Amino acid sequence: QVQLVESGGGSVQPGGSLRLSCAASGVTLSLFEMIWYRQGPQSERVTVATISSSGTVTNYAHSVKGRFTISRDNAKNAVYLQMNDLRPEDTAVYYCNKGPLWSAWAWGQGTQVTVSS
């Protein structure tokens, strides 16, 4: 059974940084493209960043490009999201999973990111 555990969220002021981690058990993440999603208050879950199975190809939502960096450590079976220059509109619960969304594993609890002054 696949279990995903996201961590690293918190409350920061605008312009701050956080590094999110996603740890997995029951699956070898290196076999899959991985995605960080986020879901803000009263909004749908959307893709923030994707990384290929090898880690060589990454893509970002326009709203986070240049500020967020997705990475992975296949030896540790983990995926990360470095978030810099955080803005209030980045406030959301962040989740990791594989893509596409319709094929996602059971969701973890997510990690809350709150950006406010």
Side-chain angles (χ1 to χ4, degrees):
Q1 182 176 358
V2 177
Q3 288 190 318
L4 300 168
V5 179
E6 300 91 352
S7 62
S11 294
V12 297
Q13 294 184 339
S17 298
L18 287 170
R19 185 177 189 245
L20 307 184
S21 298
C22 169
S25 60
V27 65
T28 300
L29 292 186
S30 62
L31 299 175
F32 301 94
E33 174 187 74
M34 291 298 295
I35 300 177
W36 279 100
Y37 300 88
R38 70 184 181 189
Q39 186 167 15
Q42 300 179 338
S43 61
E44 296 182 345
R45 195 165 298 182
V46 297
T47 296
V48 174
T50 66
I51 187 166
S52 63
S53 57
S54 64
T56 57
V57 180
T58 57
N59 287 288
Y60 300 90
H62 177 75
S63 60
V64 308
K65 193 172 294 185
R67 301 187 296 121
F68 290 12
T69 303
I70 188 171
S71 62
R72 66 192 304 159
D73 186 335
N74 285 338
K76 295 183 178 179
N77 213 33
V79 181
Y80 307 98
L81 186 68
Q82 176 67 43
M83 305 187 296
N84 298 327
D85 189 24
L86 283 161
R87 304 169 181 172
E89 54 264 37
D90 296 319
T91 294
V93 180
Y94 286 71
Y95 303 87
C96 68
N97 215 309
K98 70 179 179 75
L101 187 59
W102 60 263
S103 72
W105 298 307
W107 294 94
Q109 82 286 353
T111 186
Q112 175 71 49
V113 172
T114 302
V115 185
S116 69
S117 54

